[in-house]
Each structure stands twice: as C-alpha cells, then as structure tokens.
Amino acid sequence: MPQPSSNEKLPVVNNFLETAQDGMRGLYFADGKRKVDYVLVYHYRRRSSLHGSPGQQHRLSIISNGSFHIPLPMVKDTPRPRGGEQEAVVDVGPCDPADGEKIMIREEFESSLVEAGLEIERDKEHKAHGLSFLRLHAPWPVLCREAEFLKIKVPTKKSYELKEEKGFSGTMSAVWRKLNQPFQPKVPHLHNQSRTKFLSHSFSRDKLHLYNIKNRDTFFDNTTRSRIVYEILRRTACTRTCQTMGISTLIAKGVYDSAFPLHDGDFKSTAEAEAEKSDRQLLHDEWARYGAFYKYQPVDLIRKYFGEKIGLYFAWLGVYTQLLIPASAVGVIVFLYGCATVDSNVPSMEMCDERQNFTMCPLCDGACDYWHLSTACGTARASHLFDNPATVFFAIFMSLWAAMFLEHWKRRQISLNYSWDLTGMEEEEEHPRPKYETLLLQKRQRKRRAKKKSKSEPGNEKLTWKDRMPGYIINISSILFMFGLTFSAVFGVIVYRITTSALLAMSPDPELKHNVRVTVTATAVIINLVVILILDEIYGNVAVWLTELEIPKTESDFEERLILKAFLLKFMNAYAPIFYVAFFKGRFAGRPGDYVYVFNDYRMEECAPGGCLIELCIQLSIIMLGKQLIQNNIFEIGIPKLKKLYRSLKDKDSAPEETDEQAQRWHLDYRLEPFQGLTPEYMEMIIQFGFVSLFVASFPLAPLFALLNNVIEIRLDAKKFITELRRPDAVRAKDIGIWYNILSGMGKFSVIINAFVISFTSDFIPRLVYLYMYSETGTMHGFIDHTLSYFNVSNFKPGTAPNFSQVDKEVLVCRYKDYREPPWSPQAYQFSKQYWAVLAARLGFVILFQNLVMFLSMLVDWLIPDVPKDISEQLKREKTMLVDVFLREEKEKLQLIQNLFLKDPTDQSRAPSQGPAQPPRQQPGDAAPRPRCRAASFSQFSRQPSPVQPVKHTEV
C-alpha cells in the first residue's frame, strides 16, 4: 500500500477474513499470519442517509484491501484513496451528541494504541446498527518492549540436569509415580517431562542471544501476549477528549462494550485434529469432563491458559480436596464407632428402659401432658452416633488437620512459584479504578474553579478520608443493619418453632403430637436454609455496593475490601442459626414453675432429651448439604445459562444472523458470560471449610460430604471456565492473597468453637464428672437419674399445669434435665453442687483443649518447613549458575572491546580484509567522546528503533 504524505490522514481499513484458513478462523488477521491477541467490542449506529452537514456527521473512509490501518480523526473531507482503490464512504453519524463523543474518544484511544505499536483490524459496518469488533495484534518489537518492562521471565539457553533421587527414597518415588500413572491427565508436556531444566531470567532486549528463541511467533504464548496487550490497554490515556486512562474506564463510560482475549479455538476436538489438540481442547477433555473426576488436575496447563491467579485457585482447591480424603476416612471411622457402640451405651440404654419410669414435666403450658423419658429412646440412640468419646479425638484431629492443610498449601504454593518462575516477582504498579479517577478529576476541576483567580495551579491531589467519610458512615450503618436483619431472621425462625410446637401440641391427633419435635425441627431448618440462600444473594450485591462507596483506589484494594465485607456478612448469615442451636438453645428456657416466655404466652424452647447436639447435627447437615446442592451447583449451572440466553436474545438484532459454524471466534466468545472474578468461587469454599472445621465435633461426616461435593465442584468450575465464560485476563499472582489469612483465622477459631461444643453442647464432660466423682460403681449406671432434677407439681403457676392428664397414676413429682436442688431441700430449685462441679470441669476442658491443640498446631508449623528442601537447593543452584552465565558474558564483552580498541590501526591498513573496520583513534585535540562499540554477540539479533511516541497518562 502506498504510504500517504505527512499532511494526509491514514484511512480506516476493513479486513475481510474470507482468505483465512478454516483451521485459523477467528484467531488470526486476514493475512492468516498475525494473531488476534485481544478484542474490543462496541455498539455502533449510523444514519440511513449519506448526506449531511460536516459538523453533524462523522465520516470514516473504509478501504477493503487487507492492509494495516488506524482510525481517522474527525475531519470535514475524506481523503481520496490512491492506487485505483475503490472507496466506500459510510455515514456513521450519531443520533445524539453522546454517541459523537464516544466516537471521538474511540478514535483518540485507537490512535494512541497505534502509536504504542499495536496493529488493528476492524469489522465492516454493514448494518444500520450493531456490534463492531476491533482486533488487536502485538508485533515482535512491542512484545519485547513490554516483556522487558513487565519483567516477564523466559527460558534461557542454559540448562542443567535435575538430581535424581537414589536409594530407598528414589525407589519409593518411582513406585509412587507408577501407581499414580492412571490418575495423571493425558497432557503431552506432562508425559514428555525430562530431567533437564532451563534457567529462566527476566526478559531483556539487550540479551536476546541468551534466550531460547526458536520461533518468534511462538516464543511468547497466547496468555503472555494477551497480558501484554491488556497492559497497554489499561495504561493508554485519552487526555484530549475525556481525561481518562485505561480500557476499564472506557468500558465504564460506555465507550466500549467489552474487551477480552480470545479462546484458543473451539473446545470440542475433532477426530482429524486428535493428535494436535489446542490447549482449550486438552483442558476440556482431560479436566472439564465429569468422566475425568478421578484424575489429577493439569495445573501447569491451567496456569498456562488462564494465568497464575486462576491456576493458584485450582491448585488450592485440589490440595484442599485431596486432604479431605484422610479427614473423611477418620470421620467415617468415628461414625462407625458410634454405630458399633450404640447398643452398649449405658446412658442411652437407661433412657430406653421403660422400667426406669422417669415421668418428665410437660413441654408446654396447659395443653401438654406429662410424658415418659423412654419415648425419647430414638433420639438418645441417634445422639450417641455423634456424641461419643471418639468425637473428642476427632475434634483434636480436625484442628491439627487444618494446621496441616495450611502448611501443606504453603509448601505447594512455593513449589508452584518455583516451577512457574514467580520467585522474586515484584508487585506491579496498579492503575486507579474508573470511579476513583472520575471523582479525582471532579475534585481537581472544583479546585481549579475555586482558584481560577489565582495563578497557582492545584497540585497532585488525591482522595482523602474526608472524601470517603460519607461512604464509611453508610458502610458501618448498613453492616449493622444487615447484622440486625440476620439476627431477626434467626429470631423469626425461633418464634416459628415455639408457636408451631405449642399449636401442634394442642392437636387431637396423637401421631402428630408424638412427632412434634421432628416436624418442627425439620421444617424450621428448611426455612433457615431458604432464608440463608436469599440473604446470601442480597448480601453479595450489597457488599459490592458498599465497597464502591468507599472509593478504593486500585482493583486489589477494592477486591480485599469486598472480600472482607462479603465474608463477614455471609459468615454471620450461614452460621447464626447454627450458633444459636449450639450455644443458646435451652440455656435460657428457665425451669418448671419459672419458665422464660416470649410475647408473654410462649415458652422458650428447650433441647431434646438427648441434648442439643443431635439438633445441631441436623441443622448443620441440612444447611451444608442444601447450600452445596442448591447454591454451589444448581445456581452455578443454571444462572450462567440463563444469562447467556438473555444476552443472545438481547443482541439478536444487533448482530448479523449467522450460525455457530459461520461465526468468527470473537463472535462466539462475545456470546459467553463475562468473567466476574474468583471471589464467589473462593467464598463458597471458605464457607464450606467453616462447616468442616468449626462444628465438626457435632457432625463427623461433614468432611465426607465436602469431599463428594468438591469432586463435582472442580469439574463444574472447570467446565464453566472452559465452555461458559469468556477467557479471563491473565493475572500474575504469587499466592491466594487475603484468603490465606481468612483460612488461618478460621482454623484458630475452630479450636475454640469445637472446645465449647464438646464442653457445653455435648454430654461428654457431665459423663466424665459423673464417672470419676459421683458414680458409686465406677460405671455409667445411674447417669440419667443423676442429670434429672425433681419438681413438685404443686408449685406450677396457675394455668400452667396440664389441663388433662392421661398418666396412669397421679403425678406428684416430675423430672426435668438440670442440676438443681430438689423441692424438699432448704435451697429448693437452686443450682446444686453438681452444677458448679460440671461447670468448672467444662471451663477447664475448654482451656486444656485450646492450649493443647494450639501447642500441637505450632509444633506442626515448626516441624514442617515452608520451603521444601529440594526447591531451596535448586534456587541456590540456579542463582549461582545465572551469575556465572552473566559473568562469562561480561568477560567476553570486555575481551572483545579490548581487542577492538587495542588493535594497531596500521595492521588494519596492511590487511583490510582480515577483520572488521575499526573506528579511528581519537586524537588528543578532539573534543568528541570515544564511540562505544557493541559486542559482536549482540549483532545476531537486530533491534529496530521503535517509532512509538510515549503514551500520555493522567496524573493520580
């Protein structure tokens, strides 16, 4: 294409893709050589008429010759094409001034991208309105420049052999690898691993000869290329039109609809291309299928395709799921122990023994009758399944398991940092968020207007706590309000349980009266689950809104604040009903003759005869399983599909009618759901970790259900990332961030919670106290009678005694579960000595349990080093080898420079053909400095000077 003169504008070029090969459809420019590294999408609108005043219309010159192009700024006359090319003038005049402003912003932004070195290809706008796709390509000089700026590590030519394990450890490693072979995914680079390791070093254009560059087109993979283009997009400014910086700000302003990198073709592999699958096809076949549930995750390939941040999430999820296997095994053993010993458990046998004839006090006033303790036999036997001596061992085991999990993840994380060349990675400078930038610009404009009479200009302002104060006030008040809303929901369910129990107790149906407790408990837990699911969705959206009000400066700051708020709200929402059953239910019910009432009519509910632990188990299991089945699975499958359907219906008129076979890759990817971040994925796993660790003493099967859920969850998330979501921007990260701190805090908190559950919710401590202090035979016989207090029925308040009694004989004294003095004691109905002994034992157990488990956790932390020994040795070895490589290079450069400058010039005149021409020796009177010569080793790669002008940025 002939180059225009300096006073002419470059026309916009439309590249058709009919010339692209079918195998490259949508992944390359029209020439079939330049990769599409990134896609920008915007809505366009044009008039039906081709005439209008120059001031009202905006005209773009489109030349269909397949050449490189840049956008044309607004001009009155369109330049004529040269070389006999046919010009099609398209009127894209806006219908309102806002559209015209967006066009101007797009033109400046795209011109700046061209100045930054990117190459652009656009669609032909062949409809009155619709979507337009702008494809971006980063050529080799731009990739080299940005890779050097971003300090991307690349492999060098220097390699070394990894040490092989020998002896017994080597034999065991070989056996383990052979046993693991069926569980390894069929990924080529995993099966072709060698013992050779290439050294990596940050990319530098001055050291191209050191790197293992075999092909410039494939040296930087697609993920790195898209990361480089995204870095250019987010720092490119539009200072002339709108004083904004970065693609995220332009998307927020509606200038562009979206921006994303492309997937590597279709995820469905064909029989013809079975041997040469793309990374997306490999991930779909070996990772995103439910049939591959038994295989390890190809974490390295996930990182290569999605970037380090997403790779670390799936690596963490894999480690967590793997370590749930031993926890599940121990939990099943504890449960089976309870099943095996239920028939030999003395307390439950005494409760089921009808000969004991314990006549219990009524469960409600007036309508309820006296009842026999033997009718609660089923509850007592079920309680033993989860409330037995093995439960204490399991609580200690799970606390140590949490510490082991965190230590194992730290080691795994460091190993991944080493293998992914993230060691020594520096934190990248982040650009401001769009809202922060907008408010800062408004603040500057207000200051300029206030100081327009003064010659002094305002300095580099920033948003202070005064600017954020309204947001902070709204945040605090909203969070307190939502805490109150959570507690109100819990209290509402409590009122439902109390009123429903009283109403069912008045029913004439004896079967219904007999199953009051089961009916009320089951329905109340289901109501709790529904409320939790609804409030979870509300709290997630409210957390985003509250974080926006705080005006965080950067995306990482925004993400951390959002995570803390969402976790706090969802933690309270998920665990508030469980905390109530575990620590409050039955504690404030009072005693016969002196009950605590709600609304002056309904008694506070009491625990079941077997204790509150069985109710805690039911509550925990239903909420945990319900959240996993409904929220984590059905919502994750159904909602993305509904959103995708809505987007396709919304954009039906905006895009040409075409089938999936005719559509280009960018059209297909645009129809996918945008990536919303990893916060929801982490959040559901963190809440599940709380169910597994916090109240595991009451439900030993929780790890098993978590394991089964996660096996499905991994493949579900994988399928979503591969088939349902647009390809996310590759983000570098060394760790999982604030999530590790949350996990660590929950692990420590679980020790305290489990200690209190064992002490105050279960009957473990009362049994020990009875066995060693009050048992006359040294056995558990008589324990039930020991825990039941006496009440004289003549002391009932008027109107609270049973209206009708069906008990065979007249009842003078009834029993209730508490440690109180009998009615014939001088201190009737006061707490007995046994109560204070049990309370002291409970508090002592909490202190002992907490300190013991904390000590063991610290011991585990001390015994297991964070950095694996082999990784530490390899890091030292690589550092030494890199130093040797660069010292050798510098030595060769110095020798070459000395040879060039110390060589006698007369030798050159005698034998001019024996070497390269040398620069003239500088005379003493010359003022010009001696020219510096480049070593010959650098001349094998030529680097063209970049004509790119520096990109302007807004000051923040």
Side-chain angles (χ1 to χ4, degrees), residues 310-337:
I310 294 177
L312 283 173
Y313 163 71
F314 282 105
W316 172 84
L317 183 57
V319 170
Y320 171 49
T321 304
Q322 284 181 341
L323 289 183
L324 280 174
I325 296 175
S328 303
V330 177
V332 171
I333 292 173
V334 171
F335 177 75
L336 293 177
Y337 170 81

Tab-separated table of all heavy atoms in Angstrom, residues 310-337:
chain	number	residue	atom	x	y	z
A	310	ILE	N	-5.656	-17.688	38.473
A	310	ILE	CA	-6.641	-18.765	38.359
A	310	ILE	C	-5.979	-20.117	38.569
A	310	ILE	O	-6.567	-21.028	39.171
A	310	ILE	CB	-7.346	-18.681	36.996
A	310	ILE	CG1	-8.179	-17.391	36.927
A	310	ILE	CG2	-8.229	-19.898	36.744
A	310	ILE	CD1	-8.859	-17.170	35.599
A	311	GLY	N	-4.741	-20.273	38.103
A	311	GLY	CA	-4.022	-21.515	38.344
A	311	GLY	C	-3.834	-21.796	39.819
A	311	GLY	O	-3.965	-22.942	40.266
A	312	LEU	N	-3.541	-20.746	40.606
A	312	LEU	CA	-3.383	-20.928	42.054
A	312	LEU	C	-4.709	-21.305	42.717
A	312	LEU	O	-4.717	-22.080	43.673
A	312	LEU	CB	-2.830	-19.644	42.682
A	312	LEU	CG	-1.338	-19.391	42.498
A	312	LEU	CD1	-0.971	-18.015	43.014
A	312	LEU	CD2	-0.516	-20.459	43.212
A	313	TYR	N	-5.811	-20.768	42.219
A	313	TYR	CA	-7.104	-21.134	42.809
A	313	TYR	C	-7.381	-22.622	42.641
A	313	TYR	O	-7.761	-23.311	43.599
A	313	TYR	CB	-8.235	-20.317	42.176
A	313	TYR	CG	-9.603	-20.911	42.439
A	313	TYR	CD1	-10.164	-20.873	43.704
A	313	TYR	CD2	-10.312	-21.562	41.422
A	313	TYR	CE1	-11.407	-21.448	43.954
A	313	TYR	CE2	-11.553	-22.128	41.667
A	313	TYR	CZ	-12.089	-22.070	42.934
A	313	TYR	OH	-13.312	-22.649	43.176
A	314	PHE	N	-7.205	-23.124	41.428
A	314	PHE	CA	-7.492	-24.543	41.203
A	314	PHE	C	-6.450	-25.438	41.878
A	314	PHE	O	-6.786	-26.553	42.304
A	314	PHE	CB	-7.566	-24.823	39.706
A	314	PHE	CG	-8.860	-24.383	39.087
A	314	PHE	CD1	-8.935	-23.245	38.311
A	314	PHE	CD2	-10.018	-25.105	39.297
A	314	PHE	CE1	-10.127	-22.839	37.749
A	314	PHE	CE2	-11.225	-24.713	38.741
A	314	PHE	CZ	-11.281	-23.568	37.966
A	315	ALA	N	-5.216	-24.959	41.991
A	315	ALA	CA	-4.228	-25.737	42.739
A	315	ALA	C	-4.615	-25.805	44.211
A	315	ALA	O	-4.518	-26.870	44.848
A	315	ALA	CB	-2.844	-25.111	42.572
A	316	TRP	N	-5.051	-24.679	44.772
A	316	TRP	CA	-5.502	-24.664	46.175
A	316	TRP	C	-6.719	-25.559	46.362
A	316	TRP	O	-6.793	-26.323	47.332
A	316	TRP	CB	-5.835	-23.232	46.586
A	316	TRP	CG	-6.478	-23.142	47.921
A	316	TRP	CD1	-5.867	-23.119	49.135
A	316	TRP	CD2	-7.894	-23.090	48.205
A	316	TRP	NE1	-6.801	-23.049	50.147
A	316	TRP	CE2	-8.046	-23.035	49.604
A	316	TRP	CE3	-9.026	-23.087	47.399
A	316	TRP	CZ2	-9.291	-22.962	50.209
A	316	TRP	CZ3	-10.275	-23.027	48.007
A	316	TRP	CH2	-10.397	-22.966	49.391
A	317	LEU	N	-7.668	-25.485	45.441
A	317	LEU	CA	-8.861	-26.319	45.543
A	317	LEU	C	-8.502	-27.799	45.455
A	317	LEU	O	-9.084	-28.638	46.154
A	317	LEU	CB	-9.854	-25.937	44.441
A	317	LEU	CG	-11.198	-26.665	44.427
A	317	LEU	CD1	-11.921	-26.506	45.746
A	317	LEU	CD2	-12.068	-26.165	43.275
A	318	GLY	N	-7.507	-28.135	44.615
A	318	GLY	CA	-7.071	-29.519	44.522
A	318	GLY	C	-6.410	-30.017	45.795
A	318	GLY	O	-6.665	-31.144	46.245
A	319	VAL	N	-5.564	-29.169	46.404
A	319	VAL	CA	-4.917	-29.548	47.667
A	319	VAL	C	-5.963	-29.724	48.765
A	319	VAL	O	-5.913	-30.696	49.546
A	319	VAL	CB	-3.870	-28.484	48.060
A	319	VAL	CG1	-3.365	-28.711	49.483
A	319	VAL	CG2	-2.701	-28.512	47.086
A	320	TYR	N	-6.902	-28.815	48.837
A	320	TYR	CA	-7.959	-28.899	49.843
A	320	TYR	C	-8.784	-30.176	49.669
A	320	TYR	O	-9.087	-30.884	50.641
A	320	TYR	CB	-8.837	-27.653	49.735
A	320	TYR	CG	-10.101	-27.664	50.557
A	320	TYR	CD1	-10.090	-28.007	51.905
A	320	TYR	CD2	-11.330	-27.320	49.991
A	320	TYR	CE1	-11.254	-28.013	52.658
A	320	TYR	CE2	-12.497	-27.313	50.732
A	320	TYR	CZ	-12.450	-27.667	52.062
A	320	TYR	OH	-13.610	-27.682	52.801
A	321	THR	N	-9.129	-30.493	48.430
A	321	THR	CA	-9.922	-31.693	48.173
A	321	THR	C	-9.135	-32.959	48.485
A	321	THR	O	-9.679	-33.918	49.056
A	321	THR	CB	-10.381	-31.702	46.704
A	321	THR	OG1	-11.106	-30.488	46.431
A	321	THR	CG2	-11.279	-32.883	46.421
A	322	GLN	N	-7.863	-32.976	48.142
A	322	GLN	CA	-7.045	-34.155	48.441
A	322	GLN	C	-6.942	-34.402	49.941
A	322	GLN	O	-7.044	-35.539	50.408
A	322	GLN	CB	-5.651	-33.987	47.844
A	322	GLN	CG	-5.588	-34.205	46.345
A	322	GLN	CD	-4.181	-34.044	45.812
A	322	GLN	OE1	-3.320	-33.450	46.456
A	322	GLN	NE2	-3.939	-34.563	44.626
A	323	LEU	N	-6.740	-33.330	50.700
A	323	LEU	CA	-6.599	-33.506	52.142
A	323	LEU	C	-7.918	-33.802	52.831
A	323	LEU	O	-7.927	-34.183	54.007
A	323	LEU	CB	-5.949	-32.261	52.757
A	323	LEU	CG	-4.468	-32.082	52.424
A	323	LEU	CD1	-3.907	-30.862	53.141
A	323	LEU	CD2	-3.664	-33.311	52.830
A	324	LEU	N	-9.030	-33.612	52.134
A	324	LEU	CA	-10.310	-34.031	52.703
A	324	LEU	C	-10.445	-35.554	52.733
A	324	LEU	O	-11.288	-36.085	53.459
A	324	LEU	CB	-11.473	-33.433	51.902
A	324	LEU	CG	-11.839	-31.977	52.195
A	324	LEU	CD1	-12.903	-31.494	51.214
A	324	LEU	CD2	-12.315	-31.801	53.626
A	325	ILE	N	-9.628	-36.256	51.950
A	325	ILE	CA	-9.720	-37.721	51.912
A	325	ILE	C	-9.380	-38.334	53.268
A	325	ILE	O	-10.163	-39.119	53.813
A	325	ILE	CB	-8.834	-38.281	50.786
A	325	ILE	CG1	-9.351	-37.801	49.427
A	325	ILE	CG2	-8.798	-39.805	50.832
A	325	ILE	CD1	-8.472	-38.207	48.260
A	326	PRO	N	-8.209	-38.011	53.890
A	326	PRO	CA	-7.959	-38.581	55.230
A	326	PRO	C	-8.954	-38.094	56.279
A	326	PRO	O	-9.343	-38.859	57.169
A	326	PRO	CB	-6.531	-38.129	55.554
A	326	PRO	CG	-6.267	-36.973	54.660
A	326	PRO	CD	-7.043	-37.226	53.420
A	327	ALA	N	-9.385	-36.824	56.179
A	327	ALA	CA	-10.374	-36.323	57.136
A	327	ALA	C	-11.694	-37.082	56.997
A	327	ALA	O	-12.345	-37.418	57.999
A	327	ALA	CB	-10.594	-34.829	56.925
A	328	SER	N	-12.095	-37.372	55.762
A	328	SER	CA	-13.329	-38.131	55.550
A	328	SER	C	-13.202	-39.545	56.101
A	328	SER	O	-14.145	-40.074	56.708
A	328	SER	CB	-13.657	-38.185	54.058
A	328	SER	OG	-13.776	-36.890	53.518
A	329	ALA	N	-12.029	-40.167	55.894
A	329	ALA	CA	-11.831	-41.531	56.377
A	329	ALA	C	-11.940	-41.592	57.898
A	329	ALA	O	-12.614	-42.468	58.456
A	329	ALA	CB	-10.471	-42.055	55.914
A	330	VAL	N	-11.292	-40.640	58.583
A	330	VAL	CA	-11.358	-40.623	60.049
A	330	VAL	C	-12.781	-40.324	60.507
A	330	VAL	O	-13.276	-40.919	61.482
A	330	VAL	CB	-10.357	-39.597	60.612
A	330	VAL	CG1	-10.473	-39.513	62.127
A	330	VAL	CG2	-8.932	-39.976	60.216
A	331	GLY	N	-13.478	-39.407	59.836
A	331	GLY	CA	-14.853	-39.098	60.202
A	331	GLY	C	-15.774	-40.294	60.057
A	331	GLY	O	-16.645	-40.537	60.910
A	332	VAL	N	-15.594	-41.061	58.987
A	332	VAL	CA	-16.408	-42.273	58.800
A	332	VAL	C	-16.103	-43.295	59.896
A	332	VAL	O	-17.015	-43.962	60.424
A	332	VAL	CB	-16.157	-42.868	57.399
A	332	VAL	CG1	-16.819	-44.230	57.275
A	332	VAL	CG2	-16.684	-41.930	56.320
A	333	ILE	N	-14.827	-43.414	60.278
A	333	ILE	CA	-14.453	-44.350	61.348
A	333	ILE	C	-15.118	-43.943	62.666
A	333	ILE	O	-15.634	-44.785	63.416
A	333	ILE	CB	-12.920	-44.424	61.489
A	333	ILE	CG1	-12.318	-45.089	60.251
A	333	ILE	CG2	-12.521	-45.187	62.750
A	333	ILE	CD1	-10.808	-45.046	60.219
A	334	VAL	N	-15.114	-42.645	62.971
A	334	VAL	CA	-15.753	-42.156	64.196
A	334	VAL	C	-17.245	-42.442	64.173
A	334	VAL	O	-17.837	-42.870	65.173
A	334	VAL	CB	-15.479	-40.644	64.370
A	334	VAL	CG1	-16.313	-40.058	65.497
A	334	VAL	CG2	-13.995	-40.393	64.640
A	335	PHE	N	-17.872	-42.224	63.017
A	335	PHE	CA	-19.306	-42.504	62.897
A	335	PHE	C	-19.586	-43.998	63.063
A	335	PHE	O	-20.551	-44.388	63.738
A	335	PHE	CB	-19.810	-41.997	61.553
A	335	PHE	CG	-21.258	-42.286	61.292
A	335	PHE	CD1	-22.242	-41.553	61.943
A	335	PHE	CD2	-21.644	-43.288	60.416
A	335	PHE	CE1	-23.584	-41.806	61.715
A	335	PHE	CE2	-22.976	-43.550	60.183
A	335	PHE	CZ	-23.948	-42.807	60.836
A	336	LEU	N	-18.755	-44.838	62.445
A	336	LEU	CA	-18.945	-46.277	62.569
A	336	LEU	C	-18.709	-46.748	64.010
A	336	LEU	O	-19.370	-47.684	64.482
A	336	LEU	CB	-18.006	-47.019	61.613
A	336	LEU	CG	-18.302	-46.822	60.121
A	336	LEU	CD1	-17.265	-47.557	59.279
A	336	LEU	CD2	-19.708	-47.302	59.782
A	337	TYR	N	-17.782	-46.082	64.704
A	337	TYR	CA	-17.574	-46.408	66.122
A	337	TYR	C	-18.838	-46.118	66.919
A	337	TYR	O	-19.231	-46.913	67.803
A	337	TYR	CB	-16.399	-45.612	66.673
A	337	TYR	CG	-16.252	-45.707	68.176
A	337	TYR	CD1	-15.624	-46.800	68.767
A	337	TYR	CD2	-16.754	-44.697	69.009
A	337	TYR	CE1	-15.502	-46.891	70.148
A	337	TYR	CE2	-16.644	-44.775	70.376
A	337	TYR	CZ	-16.014	-45.874	70.949
A	337	TYR	OH	-15.899	-45.978	72.313
